[in-house]
Amino acid sequence: MLDLPETAATLEQFIEGAVVLRDAAILSTRLAREVEQWTLEPLCEIRVGVTEYEHRGTGKQLLTVTRFTTAAGRTLSVPYALAAKPARGRRLWRAKAPPAARC
C-alpha cells in the first residue's frame, strides 16, 4: 500500500525494473472516517511522466504527474515535479480485461 501524494514520483522505478506490478486499486479513506466507509476503486491504468497544466488546464505551470485511471473511468493526477515540455508519459500498468471493458 502506497500513499499517492508521497510516492507518485517513485513509481518510475517500476518502468525498467525487474519488479512486476499486479493488480492495483485506490483505497479511499474519506478523510480517515470509520473503516466501514472506506472504498476500494480498482484501477484500469497507471501512467507516469505525463504532463498537465496545473488545475487541469486553468493554470500556466506545466507539471509532471502520475495519472491513475479507475475502472469506472475517473482519473486522478498526482503532480510531483515541474515540466519543461509536454509528454504523454509511459504506461506503467494496464488492467487485463476484455476489449469491450478497456480504459
Side-chain angles (χ1 to χ4, degrees):
M1 188 178 325
L2 304 170
D3 182 58
L4 292 183
E6 294 179 13
T7 58
T10 63
L11 290 176
E12 287 182 342
Q13 68 182 324
F14 295 114
I15 291 176
E16 301 296 333
V19 177
V20 176
L21 181 62
R22 296 180 195 267
D23 292 330
I26 292 178
L27 176 64
S28 176
T29 60
R30 305 271 188 226
L31 300 173
R33 293 185 182 162
E34 297 297 320
V35 173
E36 294 81 23
Q37 295 178 346
W38 293 3
T39 58
L40 192 63
E41 294 183 66
L43 290 176
C44 181
E45 183 179 76
I46 300 172
R47 189 173 281 272
V48 292
V50 178
T51 56
E52 295 178 353
Y53 284 97
E54 61 183 330
H55 307 295
R56 296 225 179 216
T58 61
K60 296 183 183 195
Q61 190 70 267
L62 189 61
L63 304 172
T64 302
V65 304
T66 296
R67 183 182 297 152
F68 302 90
T69 304
T70 67
R74 187 168 72 108
T75 60
L76 295 105
S77 296
V78 181
Y80 61 89
L82 296 176
K85 61 181 182 176
R88 291 181 48 196
R90 293 187 63 190
R91 183 182 302 135
L92 172 63
W93 178 80
R94 185 172 194 165
K96 293 181 181 173
R102 295 231 180 223
C103 301

